[in-house]
Amino acid sequence: MENILEVKDLNISFHTFAGEVQAIRGVNFELKKGETLAIVGESGSGKSVTTKAIMRLLPPGNSEIKQGQILFDGKDLSKLTDRQMQKIRGKDISMIFQDPMTSLNPTMTVGKQIMEPLIKHQNMSKAAASERALQLLKLVGIPKPELRIKQYPHQFSGGMRQRVVIAIALACNPKILIADEPTTALDVTIQAQILELMKDLQNKIDTSIIFITHDLGVVANVADRVAVMYGGKIVEVGTVDEVFYNPQHPYTWGLISSMPSLDAKEEELYAIPGTPPNLLHPPKGDAFAPRNEYAMQIDLEEQPPMFKVSDTHYAATWLLHPDAPKVEPPAAVKSRMRKFMGAK
Amino acid sequence: MGKYLAKRILFMFLTLFIIASITFFLMKIIPGTPFASAAKLPPAQLEIMKAKYGLDQPVPVQYAKYIGNLLQGDLGISFQFNNTPVSDLMFKRLGPSMQLGAQAMVFGTIIGVLLGIFAALRQNTWVDYSATFIAVLGKAVPNFVFAGLLQYFIAVKLGWFPVLFWKGFEYTILPTIALSIFPIAISARFMRTEMIDVLGSDYILLAKAKGASFFEIAIKHALRNALIPLVTVLGPLAISLMTGSLVVEKIFAIPGLGEQFVKSITVNDYPVIMGTTILFAALFVVIILVVDILYGIIDPRIRLSGGKK
Ligand SMILES: Nc1ncnc2c1ncn2[C@@H]1O[C@H](COP(=O)(O)OP(=O)(O)OP(=O)(O)O)[C@@H](O)[C@H]1O
Ligand code: SF4
Ligand SMILES: [Mg+2]
């Protein structure tokens, strides 16, 4: 399948009073046409920074793309001017954020907010845009769109607002949709509805989706491929089946073990010991080594390269080096893996 | 909305009634009489004077009479100005003060808001620093200093505008500018903070993600939201401006309210003090109502909750 987006060796730093925070340290991935790529990883691992960099929405004052390329349609997005970028945002690439309660402008009607990208990117007349906004509201499942279109965000519930945000994001049939934890702020039933809706819409307009989440259960549900991020790097990437059936990186094992399962009552919930690396002074070796019970001498000295597991499955851990001792994932992980696939 | 307004207006009158009553009793408590300067008068003469103004009657009777008159719009007669009715006195002087205040308010807020917006959009550049400088200056330096400087340099030296008096629009320009320095400072500071706050919010990020340009973000998305809190500050500011600035009025020899009010207090001219207090209070409640209506226009969340009542 054709790649619609390629991120190559991306390095991003923030300049803070304390010094340079190396938030992203050599991220590589590609997004294929029509697929859903999930990015998982604990808080601070760099998921949002990576996707905001694609949209060029990082704070202009203190962030810097030190190195790397973001190739979309043959263009390197990191080199475009603001004006060129404005033509891509909301048209070719759009984004949904975490908190629907604050993502909409409180003093603008919902209709106007949906019409805005249509008028801007597709040169629609007001009447045509308003007609299309009605359709979009219907599409995302908002009842009585004729009435709702004239209302303000405070008249909508959280789930309804997130539907509106999705309608805005999909207005111009984008080629890429980036969803940064779009359901985290919603309750479980609404979450399921929103995910269902996104899958549904993806089928209709054939968008590629980058889906950021903490929730591995959601990943198993919506994604084709998964990238696991840790300390500003992608440490494992593969299809959902590969990463969930055959995880290679000890951090992925930790993530899977720490995930609550349906019958979690008897089991103690696992928590990965230790804290994420301090990106002000990234360690010399593998950033996960201090938290890793399988760590070897080399882990403290040199960062592991990406080892190939299969054509689609890669992991950055020295355990995959031919000379490394054979280590099996813990039993808890194995039982979890089976449950996942059962639940899917 | 009509019902809501009617209710609000009813409450306005209630508030005014309470304020009028409190003022009345305060006047009774504070020491001194309007005739203090005539202390050497023989007691019999004093009694005659008191009887003339109804001050010899028991307090409840005075109060009832006072409220009764008030309801008919009669604020009594002044002790100091040859028995002129207080309402005549006040309304003659209200005009200049209100006009000056309103002009300074409108001019000052527009300039201040613009300055604040530019400062926020060009944060930490020379634009921002100059706006901050103007704001600090406007807050720290009293308006009569500006009044004096403007009068001396622009009117006396350059002769662009009249130096004194109140005879037409060109007479209002310099005092308006002098008075508007404060609202400029306040609204510029306020607007800058709010604008920066709003520009950092999630919905601005979403607007950027939609491809909105810098200009669209500032004007279509940020401005209206940043204006909401400013409305609160503008109410009290408008009142302080419209009720007259004593010193500025004096400097430009403008026959305004501020001057008269202070004079009445020094000579215990009860009817004028009470009249002015009630007038200020009335202005206050009207402006609060205007502010609330403005809120409703700017902020849809308030409009609807108000409308349902
Ligand atoms: N504006 C900023 N200034 C300084 N550092 C920042 C800034 N934004 C992000 N960072 C740093 O970049 C790193 C990655 O942050 P990011 O927001 O991408 O995490 P995340 O994976 O999205 O986490 P979460 O799951 O909590 O959303 C963090 O260490 C964070 O401290
Ligand atoms: S490279 Fe070493 S420290 Fe890093 S995850 Fe693999 S085994 Fe652990
Ligand atoms: Mg994030």
Side-chain angles (χ1 to χ4, degrees):
Chain A
M1 245 191 300
E2 199 185 328
N3 286 340
I4 180 127
L5 183 79
E6 283 175 44
V7 174
K8 290 185 174 165
D9 194 26
L10 189 63
N11 284 271
I12 296 171
S13 287
F14 290 97
H15 301 284
T16 66
F17 288 119
E20 180 181 338
V21 177
Q22 300 175 32
I24 303 296
R25 306 181 299 141
V27 161
N28 288 285
F29 69 90
E30 72 280 326
L31 180 69
K32 296 183 171 59
K33 231 180 182 158
E35 80 166 343
T36 300
L37 170 71
I39 302 181
V40 296
E42 65 196 328
S43 200
S45 56
K47 306 177 300 286
S48 298
V49 172
T50 304
T51 48
K52 278 189 186 154
I54 296 171
M55 282 293 259
R56 289 265 303 273
L57 287 176
L58 289 170
N62 70 340
S63 64
E64 185 191 353
I65 298 186
K66 306 272 292 187
Q67 190 179 318
Q69 291 178 309
I70 301 164
L71 296 175
F72 167 76
D73 244 4
K75 283 173 294 215
D76 184 353
L77 297 184
S78 67
K79 305 273 180 319
L80 295 188
T81 63
D82 284 347
R83 227 160 239 273
Q84 288 169 319
M85 202 57 217
Q86 280 162 20
K87 294 209 177 97
I88 290 178
R89 287 189 201 124
K91 176 167 171 270
D92 296 321
I93 310 180
S94 42
M95 197 154 179
I96 304 173
F97 298 96
Q98 176 172 352
D99 191 355
M101 299 315 273
T102 53
S103 310
L104 292 169
N105 185 340
T107 58
M108 204 186 256
T109 61
V110 159
K112 263 202 179 151
Q113 297 190 55
I114 303 177
M115 284 154 66
E116 208 179 16
L118 293 167
I119 294 172
K120 186 161 179 78
H121 296 303
Q122 311 203 319
N123 290 324
M124 280 192 186
S125 68
K126 267 205 173 142
S130 149
E131 194 52 42
R132 170 94 174 113
L134 267 182
Q135 280 173 11
L136 281 162
L137 282 176
K138 241 179 249 157
L139 192 70
V140 296
I142 289 190
K144 295 197 210 141
E146 301 81 10
L147 177 78
R148 290 301 203 156
I149 199 167
K150 290 189 219 98
Q151 291 186 335
Y152 289 89
H154 70 274
Q155 293 163 287
F156 288 66
S157 68
M160 286 289 168
R161 289 191 208 186
Q162 198 62 313
R163 282 166 196 264
V164 172
V165 173
I166 293 175
I168 293 173
L170 294 179
C172 300
N173 295 329
K175 298 190 178 112
I176 301 174
L177 175 65
I178 298 172
D180 191 348
E181 309 198 34
T183 56
T184 313
L186 303 171
D187 67 55
V188 184
T189 40
I190 311 281
Q191 261 184 34
Q193 289 172 12
I194 298 279
L195 292 176
E196 203 49 51
L197 173 70
M198 288 184 58
K199 271 207 282 193
D200 213 43
L201 296 172
Q202 182 178 29
N203 289 336
K204 276 186 196 145
I205 63 176
D206 200 28
T207 304
S208 311
I209 298 181
I210 297 178
F211 197 104
I212 297 177
T213 177
H214 280 117
D215 187 343
L216 293 188
V218 170
V219 174
N221 243 307
V222 301
D224 303 306
R225 288 195 308 131
V226 196
V228 180
M229 276 194 90
Y230 182 78
K233 291 175 171 229
I234 291 182
V235 294
E236 181 157 9
V237 59
T239 64
V240 170
D241 286 2
E242 283 167 339
V243 173
F244 280 36
Y245 267 136
N246 187 22
Q248 297 297 319
H249 199 285
Y251 177 64
T252 315
W253 297 347
L255 274 186
I256 292 177
S257 326
S258 60
M259 197 215 145
S261 60
L262 291 174
D263 49 348
K265 274 173 234 134
E266 326 81 76
E267 317 165 38
E268 279 267 313
L269 206 55
Y270 176 80
I272 303 173
T275 52
N278 179 356
L279 297 175
L280 262 173
H281 310 285
K284 185 162 138 240
D286 183 31
F288 191 55
R291 303 170 72 183
N292 182 4
E293 51 182 303
Y294 311 99
M296 300 166 286
Q297 190 54 40
I298 186 164
D299 299 324
L300 298 169
E301 278 153 26
E302 210 176 314
Q303 303 191 14
M306 274 285 189
F307 288 99
K308 182 172 171 178
V309 183
S310 77
D311 278 347
T312 48
H313 189 186
Y314 293 81
T317 167
W318 284 118
L319 289 178
L320 288 172
H321 194 274
D323 295 344
K326 197 95 193 88
V327 175
E328 280 287 306
V333 177
K334 290 188 160 172
S335 80
R336 285 300 173 85
M337 283 150 45
R338 278 192 298 276
K339 267 180 210 142
F340 263 131
M341 300 328 280
K344 191 181 168 183
Chain B
M1 189 71 188
K3 218 169 153 189
Y4 169 72
L5 261 183
K7 204 166 142 191
R8 286 294 306 263
I9 290 170
L10 196 79
F11 271 109
M12 267 170 52
F13 280 107
L14 199 69
T15 313
L16 283 180
F17 170 73
I18 293 169
I19 291 173
S21 307
I22 292 174
T23 326
F24 176 85
F25 289 109
L26 279 178
M27 292 293 106
K28 293 289 138 200
I29 294 168
I30 54 167
T33 79
F35 318 116
S37 51
K40 291 157 222 145
L41 285 179
Q45 196 88 34
L46 204 60
E47 284 314 308
I48 293 170
M49 291 281 277
K50 278 192 172 172
K52 183 178 169 205
Y53 292 106
L55 293 174
D56 57 339
Q57 280 156 341
V59 172
V61 176
Q62 289 186 35
Y63 174 66
K65 216 167 150 192
Y66 168 70
I67 295 292
N69 287 341
L70 195 62
L71 286 178
Q72 296 159 33
D74 179 1
L75 293 169
I77 48 176
S78 166
F79 295 166
Q80 52 171 336
F81 295 107
N82 306 325
N83 302 338
T84 332
V86 172
S87 44
D88 287 6
L89 260 181
M90 274 188 341
F91 285 109
K92 214 166 55 205
R93 291 181 159 242
L94 186 61
S97 284
M98 291 261 283
Q99 188 189 343
L100 257 192
Q103 279 177 201
M105 190 69 207
V106 171
F107 178 71
T109 330
I110 292 176
I111 300 291
V113 164
L114 286 176
L115 265 179
I117 294 174
F118 285 126
L121 293 180
R122 295 269 174 264
Q123 228 184 109
N124 301 327
T125 63
W126 66 269
V127 182
D128 189 13
Y129 298 138
S130 330
T132 307
F133 178 73
I134 294 176
V136 171
L137 205 69
K139 247 191 229 172
V141 183
N143 56 19
F144 58 79
V145 175
F146 289 109
L149 290 174
L150 287 171
Q151 189 178 45
Y152 182 71
F153 286 105
I154 305 213
V156 178
K157 285 264 160 178
L158 295 171
W160 290 354
F161 295 105
V163 182
L164 289 176
F165 303 129
W166 188 256
K167 292 179 197 153
F169 182 67
E170 70 268 29
Y171 289 80
T172 71
I173 291 173
L174 288 186
T176 299
I177 295 175
L179 275 181
S180 64
I181 300 289
F182 192 64
I184 287 178
I186 296 285
S187 37
R189 281 324 278 163
F190 216 80
M191 200 61 195
R192 177 184 183 272
T193 318
E194 280 311 316
M195 200 70 181
I196 288 174
D197 210 45
V198 167
L199 286 173
S201 64
D202 286 356
Y203 56 86
I204 295 295
L205 193 65
L206 187 77
K208 281 186 196 155
K210 289 199 275 189
S213 66
F214 185 73
F215 185 74
E216 286 169 323
I217 284 175
I219 302 304
K220 276 167 73 181
H221 290 276
L223 180 60
R224 187 157 165 193
N225 289 294
L227 276 175
I228 295 170
L230 183 71
V231 174
T232 331
V233 203
L234 291 186
L237 201 60
I239 293 156
S240 76
L241 285 176
M242 286 200 231
T243 47
S245 155
L246 175 70
V247 190
V248 172
E249 283 176 5
K250 241 197 163 105
I251 289 175
F252 290 99
I254 295 161
L257 266 183
E259 186 201 21
Q260 187 188 46
F261 190 38
V262 175
K263 219 190 254 166
S264 339
I265 291 175
T266 54
V267 298
N268 276 330
D269 190 346
Y270 295 153
V272 176
I273 299 175
M274 287 193 280
T276 318
T277 309
I278 290 165
L279 179 76
F280 286 3
L283 268 178
F284 206 90
V285 290
V286 169
I287 284 181
I288 288 174
L289 181 66
V290 171
V291 162
D292 282 356
I293 292 173
L294 262 182
Y295 255 138
I297 292 172
I298 299 181
D299 191 344
R301 285 162 296 191
I302 292 175
R303 183 188 320 165
L304 282 132
S305 54
K308 266 182 211 146
K309 270 186 204 166

